[in-house]
Amino acid sequence: MTSSLSVPLRTAEAPDPADTARQALTDAALDQGFDPDGAELLHNARNWVFRLPNSGLVGKVHSRSTHYSDVARQARTADALLAADFPTAAPVGRISVVRGHLVDFTKDLGPDHPSQRQHGALLRRLHLLPRPARLDIVRVDKVARAYARLDRLRPSAVSDTGRVGLRRFLTTAADSYHQARRSELCLTHGDITVTNAALPEDGDAALLDLETFGLGDPAWDQAASAFARAVFGKDPQEHEEWVGGYGYDIAEADPGMYELLVPIMGVNSALFYLDWADRIRPEARHEAEHRLDTLLTGRPLPWDWAPVHLVKPSAAPSGSAP
């Protein structure tokens, strides 16, 4: 298949976005009296997440397209979940606006993640949680999100032919899903991986990253582990452990619905990589093109997509310039 991507080359005049994010984090931390020395980059994708070891905090530098109201809503959601005795990271300080980025901070719950079984049980607990009173919970629509992501892609991210093909593929999949959807809406997370959860030494597993949290169809959350097994090569035993914690395997119990979810989940994953390769990580171009080709050629499962490696172990030296 002919490449559908045009890859921008980073020049000396275009700094690494992670470096700019680190500068924004440093400015925001100092402004609020937090120590940014030795900040460790944990997540380097659409947003940047840093651990501040000297402050016991995690700082998130949001992409410049993020709205203040969305970040504020995430903080209110965290407060409401904590008030309902559901574990998550507590917001700390205020939302800063620095170098064109929004920056917020939460309590650091530590570097450990829950087991697959613990993670499944945590998600089940969320799905059964009553909607907190007086909380402006947004309606989460995975299909609408996919269309919005596709519309936001720059011409340099995908060719006109690729864009048209993806839209046609998505429309067909979305029509089938909407005709079959049958789950009652509940609180959902929307980005189910164990890296979006923490296991504090003195507490229960806690849910992190509430950016996609809202009222939605739980089937998307329920399908995430099986999707990772079929698409990213997740260990089948780990999937079984996750199912043991959650208590339900949609891929086995409702395979018809699961098969309707997979194409839309695939589109969202491909769109993430197309945008990531275009804006931040040119070296991800090959994987982005591979994902696009998988969808447009109708390749059957299992797919052989590379998992997203967002963790960068290096930290800035203490006292060094950001």
Side-chain angles (χ1 to χ4, degrees):
M1 179 178 178
T2 303
S3 172
S4 60
L5 301 177
S6 174
V7 183
L9 297 178
R10 187 174 293 143
T11 67
E13 290 74 27
D16 188 327
D19 293 337
T20 302
R22 185 181 291 277
Q23 293 169 358
L25 174 89
T26 298
D27 291 350
L30 291 174
D31 182 59
Q32 298 196 47
F34 306 142
D35 184 354
D37 280 358
E40 176 189 0
L41 179 61
L42 304 177
H43 181 102
N44 180 7
R46 183 172 179 267
N47 304 308
W48 298 265
V49 178
F50 296 84
R51 170 169 286 119
L52 281 65
N54 298 333
S55 300
L57 301 174
V58 168
K60 186 172 185 178
V61 181
H62 298 263
S63 69
R64 288 192 169 104
S65 62
T66 304
H67 296 289
Y68 186 96
S69 59
D70 291 333
V71 180
R73 176 176 48 79
Q74 293 169 43
R76 292 194 300 272
T77 298
D79 286 335
L81 289 176
L82 290 168
D85 200 30
F86 186 90
T88 188
V92 178
R94 64 181 184 278
I95 302 169
S96 297
V97 183
V98 185
R99 299 176 185 262
H101 291 280
L102 298 171
V103 184
D104 67 330
F105 298 92
T106 59
K107 180 181 178 181
D108 184 4
L109 300 184
D112 296 329
H113 300 297
S115 68
Q116 292 289 332
R117 180 175 290 274
Q118 289 170 320
H119 188 248
L122 178 66
L123 185 64
R124 179 70 172 183
R125 182 178 171 186
L126 174 68
H127 288 172
L128 295 175
L129 188 70
R131 178 176 177 175
R134 299 184 300 277
L135 180 62
D136 54 335
I137 299 177
V138 297
R139 170 74 166 85
V140 177
D141 186 333
K142 284 280 192 176
V143 173
R145 184 185 184 195
Y147 278 116
R149 274 182 158 179
L150 181 57
D151 290 341
R152 285 197 305 266
L153 282 184
R154 302 188 302 190
S156 54
V158 63
S159 69
D160 290 343
T161 300
R163 190 186 300 271
V164 170
L166 267 179
R167 184 174 294 278
R168 184 181 300 117
F169 180 90
L170 176 59
T171 298
T172 300
D175 287 346
S176 298
Y177 164 72
H178 285 138
Q179 291 175 23
R181 190 184 74 79
R182 48 188 171 270
S183 298
E184 293 294 328
L185 300 184
C186 68
L187 297 180
T188 60
H189 183 268
D191 190 7
I192 298 302
T193 66
V194 292
T195 57
N196 277 339
L199 187 64
E201 291 183 359
D202 58 351
D204 297 328
L207 203 60
L208 305 177
D209 192 0
L210 303 179
E211 184 175 348
T212 56
F213 180 93
L215 192 68
D217 182 352
W220 299 106
D221 283 356
Q222 293 166 347
S225 181
F227 181 79
R229 177 187 58 181
V231 174
F232 301 116
K234 179 178 181 177
D235 187 329
Q237 181 59 41
E238 290 187 353
H239 170 67
E240 292 303 320
E241 291 172 2
W242 188 93
V243 169
Y246 187 83
Y248 176 72
D249 185 352
I250 190 173
E252 293 293 332
D254 195 351
M257 174 55 69
Y258 173 70
E259 290 171 4
L260 296 178
L261 300 174
V262 167
I264 302 170
M265 296 172 77
V267 169
N268 269 309
S269 294
L271 290 172
F272 166 79
Y273 243 94
L274 287 166
D275 186 58
W276 197 38
D278 178 50
R279 295 179 183 272
I280 299 173
R281 287 287 187 88
E283 63 271 24
R285 177 186 61 83
H286 178 76
E287 175 66 18
E289 186 173 342
H290 175 55
R291 294 186 181 195
L292 180 62
D293 179 71
T294 298
L295 298 175
L296 297 188
T297 59
R299 189 175 304 161
L301 292 173
W303 299 337
D304 57 346
W305 294 4
V308 182
H309 297 291
L310 300 177
V311 175
K312 183 177 180 180
S314 61
S318 178
S320 65

Short mmCIF file of all heavy atoms in Angstrom, two decimals, residues 125-166:
data_model
loop_
_atom_site.label_atom_id
_atom_site.label_comp_id
_atom_site.label_asym_id
_atom_site.label_seq_id
_atom_site.Cartn_x
_atom_site.Cartn_y
_atom_site.Cartn_z
N ARG A 125 -15.96 -1.96 40.13
CA ARG A 125 -16.43 -1.08 41.20
C ARG A 125 -16.87 0.27 40.64
O ARG A 125 -17.89 0.83 41.08
CB ARG A 125 -15.29 -0.89 42.22
CG ARG A 125 -15.63 -0.05 43.42
CD ARG A 125 -14.44 0.01 44.37
NE ARG A 125 -14.63 0.98 45.43
CZ ARG A 125 -13.70 1.30 46.31
NH1 ARG A 125 -12.51 0.72 46.26
NH2 ARG A 125 -13.95 2.20 47.25
N LEU A 126 -16.14 0.78 39.66
CA LEU A 126 -16.53 2.05 39.04
C LEU A 126 -17.87 1.91 38.33
O LEU A 126 -18.74 2.77 38.45
CB LEU A 126 -15.45 2.50 38.05
CG LEU A 126 -15.81 3.74 37.22
CD1 LEU A 126 -15.86 4.98 38.11
CD2 LEU A 126 -14.80 3.94 36.09
N HIS A 127 -18.04 0.84 37.57
CA HIS A 127 -19.26 0.67 36.80
C HIS A 127 -20.50 0.52 37.68
O HIS A 127 -21.61 0.82 37.24
CB HIS A 127 -19.13 -0.55 35.88
CG HIS A 127 -18.20 -0.33 34.72
ND1 HIS A 127 -17.81 -1.34 33.87
CD2 HIS A 127 -17.57 0.80 34.28
CE1 HIS A 127 -16.99 -0.86 32.96
NE2 HIS A 127 -16.83 0.44 33.18
N LEU A 128 -20.30 0.08 38.91
CA LEU A 128 -21.42 -0.09 39.84
C LEU A 128 -21.64 1.14 40.72
O LEU A 128 -22.61 1.20 41.47
CB LEU A 128 -21.18 -1.31 40.74
CG LEU A 128 -21.16 -2.67 40.03
CD1 LEU A 128 -20.81 -3.77 41.01
CD2 LEU A 128 -22.51 -2.95 39.37
N LEU A 129 -20.75 2.13 40.62
CA LEU A 129 -20.83 3.30 41.48
C LEU A 129 -21.99 4.20 41.06
O LEU A 129 -22.12 4.55 39.88
CB LEU A 129 -19.51 4.09 41.40
CG LEU A 129 -19.33 5.26 42.37
CD1 LEU A 129 -19.15 4.73 43.79
CD2 LEU A 129 -18.12 6.10 41.95
N PRO A 130 -22.84 4.60 42.00
CA PRO A 130 -23.91 5.56 41.65
C PRO A 130 -23.31 6.89 41.19
O PRO A 130 -22.24 7.29 41.64
CB PRO A 130 -24.67 5.73 42.97
CG PRO A 130 -24.33 4.52 43.77
CD PRO A 130 -22.93 4.17 43.40
N ARG A 131 -24.02 7.55 40.32
CA ARG A 131 -23.54 8.84 39.83
C ARG A 131 -23.51 9.85 40.97
O ARG A 131 -24.51 10.07 41.64
CB ARG A 131 -24.47 9.34 38.72
CG ARG A 131 -24.10 10.70 38.17
CD ARG A 131 -25.00 11.07 37.01
NE ARG A 131 -24.71 12.40 36.51
CZ ARG A 131 -25.28 12.94 35.44
NH1 ARG A 131 -26.17 12.25 34.76
NH2 ARG A 131 -24.95 14.16 35.05
N PRO A 132 -22.33 10.46 41.22
CA PRO A 132 -22.24 11.44 42.32
C PRO A 132 -23.18 12.62 42.09
O PRO A 132 -23.34 13.10 40.96
CB PRO A 132 -20.77 11.89 42.26
CG PRO A 132 -20.06 10.77 41.58
CD PRO A 132 -21.04 10.22 40.58
N ALA A 133 -23.80 13.06 43.16
CA ALA A 133 -24.73 14.19 43.07
C ALA A 133 -23.97 15.47 42.77
O ALA A 133 -22.82 15.65 43.14
CB ALA A 133 -25.50 14.32 44.38
N ARG A 134 -24.63 16.36 42.06
CA ARG A 134 -24.12 17.70 41.77
C ARG A 134 -22.77 17.67 41.04
O ARG A 134 -21.91 18.52 41.26
CB ARG A 134 -24.00 18.52 43.06
CG ARG A 134 -25.32 18.72 43.78
CD ARG A 134 -25.18 19.62 44.98
NE ARG A 134 -24.24 19.07 45.96
CZ ARG A 134 -24.57 18.15 46.85
NH1 ARG A 134 -25.80 17.67 46.90
NH2 ARG A 134 -23.68 17.71 47.71
N LEU A 135 -22.59 16.68 40.18
CA LEU A 135 -21.36 16.61 39.39
C LEU A 135 -21.73 16.65 37.91
O LEU A 135 -22.58 15.88 37.45
CB LEU A 135 -20.58 15.33 39.70
CG LEU A 135 -19.28 15.15 38.93
CD1 LEU A 135 -18.30 16.27 39.25
CD2 LEU A 135 -18.65 13.79 39.24
N ASP A 136 -21.09 17.55 37.18
CA ASP A 136 -21.39 17.71 35.75
C ASP A 136 -20.64 16.66 34.94
O ASP A 136 -19.62 16.93 34.32
CB ASP A 136 -21.03 19.12 35.28
CG ASP A 136 -19.59 19.50 35.61
OD1 ASP A 136 -19.03 18.93 36.56
OD2 ASP A 136 -19.03 20.37 34.92
N ILE A 137 -21.17 15.44 34.94
CA ILE A 137 -20.54 14.34 34.23
C ILE A 137 -20.91 14.42 32.76
O ILE A 137 -22.09 14.51 32.40
CB ILE A 137 -20.98 12.99 34.81
CG1 ILE A 137 -20.56 12.89 36.28
CG2 ILE A 137 -20.37 11.83 34.03
CD1 ILE A 137 -21.01 11.63 36.96
N VAL A 138 -19.92 14.37 31.90
CA VAL A 138 -20.17 14.48 30.47
C VAL A 138 -20.60 13.13 29.91
O VAL A 138 -20.26 12.07 30.44
CB VAL A 138 -18.92 14.98 29.72
CG1 VAL A 138 -18.53 16.37 30.18
CG2 VAL A 138 -17.76 14.01 29.89
N ARG A 139 -21.35 13.17 28.85
CA ARG A 139 -21.74 11.96 28.12
C ARG A 139 -20.59 11.58 27.20
O ARG A 139 -20.14 12.38 26.38
CB ARG A 139 -23.01 12.24 27.32
CG ARG A 139 -23.40 11.15 26.34
CD ARG A 139 -23.97 9.93 27.02
NE ARG A 139 -24.63 9.06 26.05
CZ ARG A 139 -24.01 8.14 25.31
NH1 ARG A 139 -22.70 7.99 25.41
NH2 ARG A 139 -24.69 7.40 24.45
N VAL A 140 -20.08 10.37 27.36
CA VAL A 140 -18.95 9.89 26.57
C VAL A 140 -19.47 9.11 25.37
O VAL A 140 -20.24 8.17 25.52
CB VAL A 140 -18.03 8.99 27.42
CG1 VAL A 140 -16.89 8.45 26.57
CG2 VAL A 140 -17.48 9.77 28.61
N ASP A 141 -19.04 9.51 24.19
CA ASP A 141 -19.46 8.86 22.95
C ASP A 141 -18.20 8.52 22.16
O ASP A 141 -17.58 9.38 21.55
CB ASP A 141 -20.37 9.80 22.15
CG ASP A 141 -20.97 9.13 20.92
OD1 ASP A 141 -20.35 8.19 20.39
OD2 ASP A 141 -22.05 9.57 20.49
N LYS A 142 -17.83 7.25 22.17
CA LYS A 142 -16.60 6.82 21.51
C LYS A 142 -16.65 7.04 20.00
O LYS A 142 -15.63 7.33 19.36
CB LYS A 142 -16.34 5.34 21.79
CG LYS A 142 -15.82 5.05 23.18
CD LYS A 142 -14.33 5.33 23.25
CE LYS A 142 -13.73 4.77 24.53
NZ LYS A 142 -12.27 4.95 24.58
N VAL A 143 -17.82 6.89 19.42
CA VAL A 143 -17.95 7.09 17.97
C VAL A 143 -17.76 8.56 17.63
O VAL A 143 -17.01 8.91 16.70
CB VAL A 143 -19.32 6.58 17.48
CG1 VAL A 143 -19.52 6.94 16.01
CG2 VAL A 143 -19.43 5.07 17.69
N ALA A 144 -18.43 9.44 18.37
CA ALA A 144 -18.27 10.87 18.12
C ALA A 144 -16.82 11.30 18.33
O ALA A 144 -16.30 12.16 17.60
CB ALA A 144 -19.20 11.66 19.04
N ARG A 145 -16.17 10.69 19.32
CA ARG A 145 -14.77 11.02 19.57
C ARG A 145 -13.90 10.63 18.38
O ARG A 145 -12.97 11.37 18.01
CB ARG A 145 -14.29 10.31 20.83
CG ARG A 145 -12.87 10.66 21.24
CD ARG A 145 -12.41 9.84 22.43
NE ARG A 145 -11.09 10.24 22.87
CZ ARG A 145 -10.33 9.53 23.68
NH1 ARG A 145 -10.77 8.38 24.15
NH2 ARG A 145 -9.14 9.95 24.04
N ALA A 146 -14.20 9.49 17.77
CA ALA A 146 -13.41 9.05 16.62
C ALA A 146 -13.59 10.02 15.45
O ALA A 146 -12.62 10.39 14.78
CB ALA A 146 -13.82 7.64 16.21
N TYR A 147 -14.83 10.43 15.19
CA TYR A 147 -15.06 11.40 14.11
C TYR A 147 -14.33 12.72 14.39
O TYR A 147 -13.74 13.32 13.49
CB TYR A 147 -16.56 11.66 13.95
CG TYR A 147 -17.29 10.62 13.13
CD1 TYR A 147 -18.28 9.83 13.70
CD2 TYR A 147 -17.00 10.44 11.78
CE1 TYR A 147 -18.96 8.88 12.96
CE2 TYR A 147 -17.68 9.49 11.02
CZ TYR A 147 -18.66 8.71 11.62
OH TYR A 147 -19.32 7.77 10.88
N ALA A 148 -14.37 13.17 15.64
CA ALA A 148 -13.70 14.43 15.99
C ALA A 148 -12.20 14.31 15.81
O ALA A 148 -11.54 15.23 15.32
CB ALA A 148 -14.04 14.81 17.43
N ARG A 149 -11.64 13.18 16.21
CA ARG A 149 -10.20 12.95 16.03
C ARG A 149 -9.83 12.97 14.55
O ARG A 149 -8.81 13.54 14.15
CB ARG A 149 -9.79 11.61 16.63
CG ARG A 149 -9.46 11.63 18.10
CD ARG A 149 -9.02 10.26 18.57
NE ARG A 149 -8.24 10.33 19.79
CZ ARG A 149 -7.76 9.27 20.42
NH1 ARG A 149 -7.98 8.05 19.94
NH2 ARG A 149 -7.05 9.41 21.53
N LEU A 150 -10.66 12.33 13.74
CA LEU A 150 -10.40 12.29 12.31
C LEU A 150 -10.45 13.69 11.71
O LEU A 150 -9.60 14.07 10.89
CB LEU A 150 -11.42 11.37 11.63
CG LEU A 150 -11.29 11.19 10.12
CD1 LEU A 150 -9.92 10.65 9.74
CD2 LEU A 150 -12.39 10.24 9.61
N ASP A 151 -11.42 14.48 12.13
CA ASP A 151 -11.55 15.84 11.61
C ASP A 151 -10.38 16.72 12.02
O ASP A 151 -10.02 17.66 11.31
CB ASP A 151 -12.87 16.46 12.09
CG ASP A 151 -14.09 15.83 11.43
OD1 ASP A 151 -13.94 15.19 10.38
OD2 ASP A 151 -15.20 15.96 12.00
N ARG A 152 -9.78 16.43 13.20
CA ARG A 152 -8.68 17.25 13.69
C ARG A 152 -7.34 16.92 13.04
O ARG A 152 -6.38 17.69 13.16
CB ARG A 152 -8.53 17.10 15.21
CG ARG A 152 -9.59 17.82 16.03
CD ARG A 152 -9.14 17.97 17.47
NE ARG A 152 -8.79 16.70 18.08
CZ ARG A 152 -9.63 15.95 18.79
NH1 ARG A 152 -10.87 16.35 18.97
NH2 ARG A 152 -9.23 14.81 19.32
N LEU A 153 -7.24 15.78 12.38
CA LEU A 153 -5.97 15.40 11.77
C LEU A 153 -5.55 16.43 10.72
O LEU A 153 -6.34 16.82 9.87
CB LEU A 153 -6.08 14.03 11.09
CG LEU A 153 -6.03 12.78 11.97
CD1 LEU A 153 -6.06 11.56 11.07
CD2 LEU A 153 -4.80 12.76 12.85
N ARG A 154 -4.31 16.84 10.78
CA ARG A 154 -3.79 17.78 9.80
C ARG A 154 -3.55 17.07 8.47
O ARG A 154 -3.37 15.85 8.43
CB ARG A 154 -2.49 18.40 10.31
CG ARG A 154 -2.65 19.11 11.63
CD ARG A 154 -1.41 19.87 12.05
NE ARG A 154 -0.21 19.05 12.16
CZ ARG A 154 0.93 19.47 12.69
NH1 ARG A 154 1.02 20.73 13.15
NH2 ARG A 154 1.98 18.68 12.76
N PRO A 155 -3.53 17.81 7.37
CA PRO A 155 -3.24 17.19 6.07
C PRO A 155 -1.91 16.45 6.04
O PRO A 155 -1.75 15.48 5.29
CB PRO A 155 -3.24 18.38 5.11
CG PRO A 155 -4.12 19.40 5.76
CD PRO A 155 -3.88 19.24 7.23
N SER A 156 -0.97 16.88 6.87
CA SER A 156 0.33 16.21 6.92
C SER A 156 0.27 14.86 7.62
O SER A 156 1.21 14.07 7.54
CB SER A 156 1.36 17.10 7.62
OG SER A 156 0.89 17.50 8.90
N ALA A 157 -0.84 14.58 8.32
CA ALA A 157 -0.96 13.33 9.07
C ALA A 157 -1.49 12.18 8.23
O ALA A 157 -1.13 11.02 8.45
CB ALA A 157 -1.86 13.53 10.29
N VAL A 158 -2.34 12.48 7.27
CA VAL A 158 -2.95 11.43 6.46
C VAL A 158 -3.35 12.03 5.12
O VAL A 158 -3.75 13.20 5.03
CB VAL A 158 -4.18 10.83 7.18
CG1 VAL A 158 -5.27 11.86 7.39
CG2 VAL A 158 -4.70 9.60 6.46
N SER A 159 -3.23 11.24 4.07
CA SER A 159 -3.61 11.72 2.74
C SER A 159 -5.12 11.84 2.62
O SER A 159 -5.88 11.30 3.43
CB SER A 159 -3.09 10.75 1.67
OG SER A 159 -3.80 9.52 1.75
N ASP A 160 -5.57 12.53 1.59
CA ASP A 160 -7.01 12.63 1.35
C ASP A 160 -7.62 11.25 1.14
O ASP A 160 -8.72 10.96 1.63
CB ASP A 160 -7.28 13.50 0.12
CG ASP A 160 -6.97 14.97 0.37
OD1 ASP A 160 -6.86 15.36 1.55
OD2 ASP A 160 -6.83 15.72 -0.62
N THR A 161 -6.90 10.39 0.44
CA THR A 161 -7.40 9.03 0.20
C THR A 161 -7.52 8.26 1.50
O THR A 161 -8.52 7.58 1.75
CB THR A 161 -6.46 8.28 -0.76
OG1 THR A 161 -6.39 8.98 -2.01
CG2 THR A 161 -6.95 6.86 -1.00
N GLY A 162 -6.51 8.37 2.36
CA GLY A 162 -6.56 7.70 3.64
C GLY A 162 -7.67 8.23 4.52
O GLY A 162 -8.36 7.47 5.21
N ARG A 163 -7.87 9.54 4.50
CA ARG A 163 -8.93 10.15 5.32
C ARG A 163 -10.30 9.68 4.87
O ARG A 163 -11.16 9.32 5.69
CB ARG A 163 -8.83 11.67 5.24
CG ARG A 163 -9.72 12.41 6.24
CD ARG A 163 -9.67 13.92 5.99
NE ARG A 163 -8.33 14.45 6.13
CZ ARG A 163 -7.81 14.91 7.27
NH1 ARG A 163 -8.54 14.87 8.37
NH2 ARG A 163 -6.59 15.40 7.30
N VAL A 164 -10.52 9.66 3.56
CA VAL A 164 -11.81 9.21 3.03
C VAL A 164 -12.04 7.74 3.37
O VAL A 164 -13.14 7.33 3.77
CB VAL A 164 -11.87 9.45 1.51
CG1 VAL A 164 -13.10 8.75 0.91
CG2 VAL A 164 -11.91 10.94 1.20
N GLY A 165 -10.98 6.93 3.23
CA GLY A 165 -11.11 5.52 3.54
C GLY A 165 -11.42 5.27 5.00
O GLY A 165 -12.27 4.43 5.34
N LEU A 166 -10.76 6.01 5.89
CA LEU A 166 -11.03 5.86 7.32
C LEU A 166 -12.45 6.28 7.66
O LEU A 166 -13.13 5.64 8.47
CB LEU A 166 -10.03 6.69 8.12
CG LEU A 166 -8.76 6.00 8.60
CD1 LEU A 166 -7.88 6.98 9.36
CD2 LEU A 166 -9.08 4.80 9.48
#
